[in-house]
Amino acid sequence: MRAFIGIDLGSTTTKAVVLDENMDVLGRGITNSRANYDTACKVAKYEALLAARFTLLQRGLASVVAAESRLEDFLGSLERSFRLGQFVEQLDDLEETCLDKAKGDRFKGREAAIAEAIRLIFVALRADAPALFARDARRKSDFFRDLAGSRFMAVGQETAKAANLSYDMLLNLYDKAIIEVENRPPSGEIKDKLLRALARLIDVSPELADLVAEVSDPVRAALDIPAEEVAVVGTGYGRVTLPFSKEHIRSEILCHGLGAHMMYPGTRTVLDIGGQDTKAIQVDDQGIVENFQMNDRCAAGCGRYLGYIADEMNMGVHELGPLAMQATRSVRINSTCTVFAGAELRDRLALGEKREDIIAGLHRAIILRAMSIISRSGGVRDQFTFTGGVAKNEAAVKELRQLIIANYGDVVININPDSIYTGALGAAAFARRAVAN
Amino acid sequence: MSTPVTEIITVTEIIARCQALFDDLNFTYAREWKAAVPGRIVVGYMPFYVPRELIHAAGGLPLGVLGGGEQLEVIQGDAYYQSYICRIPRSTIELGVTNRLDFVDAMLFPSICDVIRNLSGMWKIMFPKVRSRYFDVPQNFSDGVGGTFYIHELTELREMLAEASGRAVTDAAIRASIALYNENRALVREVYAFRARQPWKAPSAEVYLLMRAGMVLAVEEHSRMLREYLDAAAAADRPRRDNSRVVVTGAFCEQPPLNLIKSIELSGCYIVDDDFMLVNRWEQSDVSLDGDPVANLAQAYLHNSANTSAKYEPDPAQKGLYLVAAVKRTRAEGVIFASPSFCDPALLERPMLQRVLAAHDIPFIAFKYAENSGQMQPIREQAGTFADSIKLWSTP
Amino acid sequence: MTRTAGIDVGTGAVKTVIFETDGAATNWLIKRVDRVRQRDPYQLATETYHTALEELGMRHGDLDYVATTGEGESLSFHTGHFYSMTTHARGAIYLDPEARGALDVGALHGRAIRMDGRGKVLSYKMTSQCASGSGQFLENISRYLGIAQDEIGALSKQGTSPEKVSGICAVLAETDVINMVSRGISAANILRGIHSSMADRLAKLIKTIGSVDGVVLMTGGLAHDEGLVAAMQEAMRQEKVQWPVRNHPDSIYAGAIGAALWGAFRHEKLAREEALEQAA
Amino acid sequence: MTPPAAVIKDTSMLKQKEMISGNYRKLETAVADGRKVAATFVPGNLNELIMCFDMLNNLPEINAIQNGLRKKTGAYIMEAEKRGHSEDVCTYVKADLGMIAKGNIGPDGQKLPDPDLLLLSYTGCFTFMKWFELLREHYKCETAMLHVPYQGDGRISKNMISYVVKQLREEVIPKLERVSGVKFDIDRLRENLARSARAEEDFVWVLESAKARPSPIDAYFGGVYYIGPIFTAFRGTEDATLYYRLLRAEIAERLAAGQGPVTPAGDMPAERYRLVVEGPPNWTSFRDFWKMFYEDGAVVVASTYTKVGGLYDQGFRHDPDHPLESLAEYCLGCYTNRNLPSRVDLIEQYMEEYQADGLLINSIKSCNSFSAGQLLVLREIERRTGKPGAFIESDLVDPRYFSPANIKNRLESYFQMIDQRRGGGKSVPARAA
Ligand SMILES: Nc1ncnc2c1ncn2[C@@H]1O[C@H](COP(=O)(O)OP(=O)(O)O)[C@@H](O)[C@H]1O
Ligand SMILES: Nc1ncnc2c1ncn2[C@@H]1O[C@H](COP(=O)(O)OP(=O)(O)O)[C@@H](O)[C@H]1O
Ligand code: SF4
Ligand code: SF4
Ligand code: SF4
């Protein structure tokens, strides 16, 4: 497997895409960005290569397992088993690190109580884990930091009360530990881990044993195909600090333009709303950037804005869209300042407005800002493609559709479930080109 | 006045009418006014001084275009302006590109600042079919120099209007218009004086809406409305609150959101004078009706017009005294500088005015706003602190 | 004898105090601070107020004036509301009789206030909308770095080569900080950098309010951050401002104290006016 | 507009440096020498007239620029803001007021004299008027106001000329006579104007040399040096005439040799992109800003900033035969006094005549006069020429508003975009997994 990899180091998430020689996407991976850029890239790449393995598995097994649904089911179970294993491993690491942090003068005399509390919390966390990775389970996020964090806080509050310890202190231990844990790069070979996951799978789902036996050889064959990382190109907000040389770095504008063009060759206008920037890009029929505009130094109205709101309401980011969809009207919100979003929210709640209506208003505010940036870059031309993390948010998409149609008439609007990977896809294409030329 | 008893109109009704005019971003009134009689023209102008008499004399409706306020969603307008430029030009462009001003025959851009000045050129590029004119006024106030220049400018404007309306703008018509506007200005001054006497009877948000109506209504109709309001407000029974009295200044162009005006009052301040929509009371006493009407307009501009930061003050000793005079006249206890963010004329003037106030021991506070500001908390906080200190320190 | 409560409803925390005053003598009966933490601040304020009353064995009717400040304008059971600058000025003088300036730094705001000896606000300046110099920002960062609130001060003081944060914006500043971590800057230097950037801005704020005839007392939640206090003192030295800046163990209550004391003042004034009216 | 030390060491440059420091020296000793000082602005300055009264000329904008290049303005701006000026307003004003508040020490480190007259020739920007009202409040000296009307319809009318001439006669000249104690002599003015016209001729030749490929000059980063004498205290002097003669000879040599512009890093290697730039430069990071261009082979072949103090390349010359009228026409014709449609036409003309690859707008936060409407200018130019445009934002002398990473990002993308467009590029649709 010759792999051409694009990595998009964003302000909130880091994405990787693996292409093969024919420019086919083999795998995509994502993780939260973090202080250690190197790790963020490694994790994203690791995830993308993992996904690529699954693509290879699927190709290898297609001839062996005739029923498509059965194959899907098997691969899905395998992936969940893999993720659960990884999650538990990281939980173990986190627990150990927490205990390690609970030493020193500040904790004098309370060590035993703290250790016990931590143990209890992690017992609960581990007990929860399988449910998180059950079939069709809804997760608040896919990142370890968010998953472990939200459970830790929920369980921690009660545990602290019961043990008569300060909750702030327990939270602080978690904060101290998580930054270390998440900055440790993933260890171990994908292949070995997958094999272990396969073994576990039989333990939990004995009914799959036949199938597993049946596919064992093609699985091994697929896992044995060596992965050769031919070229890696980096882009994104953090690109200047990427551990790559200058020739292996492209501006995120070019990558997004090219990525969108690859997904939808008819694209002329691209809107990307990421964590802290919003870009509107005009491309020609070759995917070459003709014009672009970005938000200026203010981060108002970008993805992080939704993050702050979600935090304020104690929800996951991906739950905001569905909530806003329940609105019956939308409250007019003028300020999209991220930092004051919470204050504004409280203000409106105090005035008796309904939560869903306010949230709908906040989404509209974000999209209005994006509309201005689009308009500044030259308006919307057919076809229009919406990319970036916020494209996953149905309420944002709904407002955008409405406004695009109202202002630019009937244009094709493309939104891809994988749109968050657009920049990385463009980067991967540049990687492929670099080798071709 | 002999208003029959059956026709007594309440404050609520008048203000509801004004609010409806204020909310109507499609300018239905002006559209209907124009459609009612063939040959009528509508001439838009940006907030500030323009000689409305000439427009009226040409059979036109002067239509104040005061931006989009807080309700307009600015989508395309933002594409034309950087974040560090005030809001009013972008919402005005939005009004233009969304065809809300498509019935306007000519646009005037008064000489107030570089932003409006450049907007006049943008209008020429974006709406080539509309007559648009940058309306310059002299900063030299001697009759032979600035006066002569200004009479020329007025004459050019007069010609443009005649061309637009297809009829000559006669001296007699101008004189008749001056008379109507003299009457209107007198009524406006009366409303202001009434509020300064009994601010609890004429809440600032009401007076504001009433004056705003004057920017879009025919002058005759507005004068009638002012008269009705004066009667109705005097008759209304409204409680008097323990508020302090303030003059608001700096808001002569981009308008604050109505909520801001309400917030100032809610947090304990009665506004007893302001500089919202100065064009309503630009000439400070009647413009003469004798002789050459254009020369009279020029005279009034040079020697008897409102003071504001867009006008040069030739006499350093006089700088800012108009504000002190306003405070004295209305017995205000302080001044609130409320200016649009990024408004160069207001913000550059501010420190000079503040020093004059300080020299006269007049307390003041200052804040900035945008026409679509949503957060009133900081405003309430500052106006409230101002009012608190009067509440706590006044002697019973 | 006048009994009054002061309730300071903030975005970060609700502060409640109850006072008993008799002429010039004041007796501070109780103090409470509750972090809002995603709860309804009004409900929180109501609850805290009632538990405080209970603890003192009092009922709502026993109080002569319940004064709110901060964002408490629409708290249903209050007698009157005073705005934050009014109350912080008064509270600062109560805590530190030499105070003629107050620097209130809370969850989302910073304000510098100059007052006279009676607590009358003479001038003030507030930070503009952008919020990187606020408690919320510091809290987010320290959580990110895994540092507990009580560790911040000491750690920051250990910083030897502070790294300044550029941003006006808290969001971008957070990214700045993550960048710093990635460059291996120590937590101590990062915190010290944030403190000194904040202090720079706050010192400039103080300079704009004119010459303070006494001490500037830091009030609000961040007055308890020794790292910020130290940075503040340093910044004032660098800006060559003579007025000493200090804090007080009860600084966070300044707003609530001011509200309670102004409540008493107003109550007495109103009573006098009523007496005057009755006499007439 | 002296360059930071050791940038360009040509004879003309040395000459200019000597002229500028000479002027500062004269200002420093003005009081001792008993010379009267007029403060005035660059756009629409009446240098030839001021010279008739033996007065010295102190330009606050130039002080702000010089202080900006020396990175002193950050502190001055803070000082002005501390004294109640809004963070929103023009930083030239604040840099000037801050400098005065901190003791009025000029860029050369010597105390500047208080002006005897504020000559407010108010051209192309309302801020000037407020600026001098503020200075008047401080110095309490005489102020002469020359109101120059705006070319709202894109033309200079007779009414405008006679208004300006009348003000010169009745307001400005009498005040100059009174303050200086020198009687106005129109023949002296004629001589000065004749010298101006000669320098203007050479200056225009230099600007137009950029039509060649490669261009021997950078008409923006280099251009700001070339405009120095003619835009400031030297127009109408013998020195200025000489400077432009020297400069022209030097450029002629480079042109003949097929050389590109001189940059702080020596000769520019190869010309890759030819740009027209609209808007003033940033001064606090001038060198870093310039570097982002020459490093990538980008040359500015025409700029509008070099027209703020007069549009000589459009044929205007000071005219000794109509002295006051020609001063009026000069003031009325400065770049920012032209309406937006004329500005667009001018830029379009530059794009064509100088065969540019695109238009870059450096939008300045301080300056509404330039900035309000620039996004429409960009759009119009793109529409009319089909060439790509780019938009960056910075400020004149406020270091807080120069974000190198941001600007670099945009420039880089812009240059890559021009390249890609030239190269065509191949279509690469992907197949989804
Ligand atoms: N599943 C989801 N549902 C809704 N919003 C999402 C989802 N995933 C990410 N987002 C939004 O996308 C943003 C991140 O977008 P991304 O394009 O990855 O930004 P960056 O490249 O700057 O890191 C987040 O701040 C969040 O608001
Ligand atoms: N002991 C402490 N040390 C440091 N910071 C503190 C402490 N207590 C509170 N804070 C900070 O103070 C902030 C709350 O301050 P406060 O003045 O109550 O703000 P507000 O009035 O806006 O609620 C919180 O955001 C918290 O970060
Ligand atoms: S608000 Fe101020 S800056 Fe903006 S257009 Fe009006 S006068 Fe000009
Ligand atoms: S704090 Fe808010 S307004 Fe300020 S830069 Fe950040 S997002 Fe923008
Ligand atoms: S606004 Fe522009 S033209 Fe006016 S003084 Fe400032 S920089 Fe100069």
Side-chain angles (χ1 to χ4, degrees), chain B residues 46-47 85-89 112-116 252-254 340-346, chain D residues 368:
Chain B
M46 296 292 291
I85 288 175
C86 57
R87 296 263 334 158
I88 183 169
I112 175 169
C113 74
D114 300 323
V115 174
I116 300 242
F252 46 80
C253 181
E254 179 175 322
S341 294
F342 307 108
C343 176
D344 273 12
Chain D
N368 287 346

Side-chain angles (χ1 to χ4, degrees), chain A residues 35 37 106 145 153 168 171-172 175-176 179 237 276 297 299 304 308 311-312 314 338-340 343 346, chain C residues 11 37-38 42 108 129-131 140 143-144 146-148 150-151 168 170-172 174-175 178-179 181-182:
Chain A
Y37 292 157
R106 296 179 58 229
R145 172 183 262 271
M153 283 174 219
D168 278 340
L171 193 60
N172 176 240
D175 287 341
K176 283 189 194 310
I179 189 169
Y237 149 85
Q276 55 170 242
R297 303 158 359 111
R304 284 293 297 283
Y308 270 66
D311 281 354
E312 185 69 30
N314 224 346
T338 313
V339 182
F340 284 89
R346 283 190 298 272
Chain C
T11 44
R37 233 185 240 128
Q38 288 158 353
Y42 285 124
L108 283 181
Q129 220 217 2
C130 286
N140 290 353
R143 274 213 57 196
Y144 183 81
I147 291 155
D150 55 320
E151 293 175 291
I168 313 172
V171 176
L172 304 181
E174 274 178 47
T175 323
I178 295 174
N179 268 329
V181 178
S182 78

Side-chain angles (χ1 to χ4, degrees), chain C residues 226-238:
Chain C
E226 291 296 337
L228 180 64
V229 178
M232 240 356 270
Q233 285 159 349
E234 170 63 28
M236 298 291 275
R237 256 197 305 284
Q238 265 178 11

